[in-house]
C-alpha cells in the first residue's frame, strides 16, 4: 500500500482531525463573499431508515450501489443543477480542465480511489460527478454522511451528498417560507459554479475556468416551475 493510500485511510478513520473548510468558506476566500448560508434547521433531509423520513439514507461503507428515493421537486432541482454542472456526462462527469483523468469512470470508483487520484494529480481541477464535487466538499460531506473510503461513488451516494448541500443552502427554510426564493437561488449559486447570480455570472466566474451555464432568467423560470407557490 502506498503512502497516499495509507494517509487517506488514516484520515477517514479519524486520525487526522484537521478541519476542512466548507465550500462556503472557500467561496469567501475566492470571491471575498460571505461565509454564511441560511440553514433554517439542523434536521437532515436524510433522516435514516426510520419510518416517516423524507429519504432513506444509503448504508455507508459499502461497495454495492444503495438505492434512495428522491422524487418530486427535489429531484427536479437536482436535475437542473446537474444540467448546469455536468451536462450529458451526468454522474460520470470529470471537470474538463483535469488533464489527467481517473483510470475508471467515477461511478465505478470508491471514494478512497477518488482521493488517491486527487492526491496523485496535484495542480489540476478535480471536480467530479453529477454535481461536480470539489475535493474539500467531497471529503467534508462524505464524512458528515458517514461514507468511508470503500463507499462506491454511485449515483445514489452522489445524490445523497447533493441533498446535504441543498440543506446547507437553506432548503428547509425556503420550503418553510422563511427564506425567499432569490436568496435561496443565490445560496445555490455559491455552491454550484454553473448556476448564475442575478448579474448572470457564476459566483466563481473565471476561477479554474468556471462560468454560469444558464441565465438568471432561466434559473428563475425553472425554480418557479418547480416550486410555483414558494416565495
Amino acid at each position: 500500500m502506498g503512502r497516499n493510500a495509507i494517509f487517506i485511510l488514516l484520515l477517514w478513520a479519524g486520525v487526522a482531525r484537521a478541519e476542512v473548510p466548507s465550500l462556503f468558506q472557500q467561496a469567501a476566500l475566492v470571491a471575498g463573499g460571505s461565509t454564511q448560508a441560511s440553514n433554517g434547521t439542523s434536521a437532515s433531509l436524510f433522516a435514516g431508515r426510520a419510518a416517516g423520513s423524507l429519504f432513506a439514507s444509503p448504508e455507508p461503507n459499502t461497495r454495492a450501489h444503495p438505492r434512495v428515493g428522491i422524487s418530486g421537486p427535489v429531484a427536479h432541482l437536482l436535475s437542473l443543477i446537474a444540467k448546469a454542472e455536468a451536462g450529458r456526462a451526468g454522474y460520470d462527469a470529470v471537470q474538463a480542465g483535469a488533464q489527467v483523468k481517473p483510470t475508471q469512470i467515477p461511478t465505478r470508483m470508491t471514494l478512497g480511489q477518488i482521493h488517491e487520484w486527487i492526491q496523485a494529480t496535484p495542480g489540476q481541477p478535480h471536480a467530479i460527478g453529477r454535481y461536480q464535487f470539489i475535493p474539500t466538499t467531497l471529503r467534508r460531506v462524505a464524512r458528515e454522511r458517514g461514507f468511508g473510503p470503500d463507499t462506491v461513488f454511485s449515483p445514489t451516494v452522489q445524490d445523497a451528498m447533493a441533498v446535504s448541500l441543498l440543506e446547507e443552502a437553506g432548503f428547509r427554510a425556503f420550503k418553510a417560507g422563511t427564506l425567499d426564493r432569490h436568496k435561496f437561488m443565490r445560496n445555490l449559486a455559491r455552491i454550484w459554479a454553473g448556476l448564475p447570480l442575478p448579474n448572470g455570472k457564476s459566483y466563481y466566474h473565471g476561477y479554474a475556468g468556471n462560468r454560469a451555464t444558464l441565465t438568471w432568467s432561466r434559473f428563475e423560470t425553472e425554480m418557479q416551475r418547480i416550486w410555483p407557490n414558494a416565495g
Side-chain angles (χ1 to χ4, degrees), residues 85-98:
E85 289 292 316
R88 294 183 179 180
Y91 294 100
D92 286 318
V94 177
Q95 220 266 12

Side-chain angles (χ1 to χ4, degrees), residues 91-165:
Y91 294 100
D92 286 318
V94 177
Q95 220 266 12
Q99 296 297 313
V100 181
K101 302 295 195 294
T103 56
Q104 302 181 63
I105 62 173
T107 52
R108 293 182 182 176
M109 300 175 71
T110 65
L111 293 178
Q113 289 170 331
I114 291 173
H115 287 298
E116 287 178 355
W117 165 67
I118 291 169
Q119 294 217 353
T121 57
Q124 68 171 17
H126 293 101
I128 192 168
R130 191 183 194 220
Y131 309 102
Q132 291 293 276
F133 296 101
I134 62 174
T136 54
T137 304
L138 184 66
R139 285 193 296 269
R140 176 176 59 81
V141 179
R143 184 173 64 242
E144 291 169 359
R145 286 293 169 210
F147 296 145
D150 289 333
T151 301
V152 173
F153 194 53
S154 67
T156 301
V157 166
Q158 293 184 42
D159 287 346
M161 291 194 290
V163 169
S164 290
L165 296 180

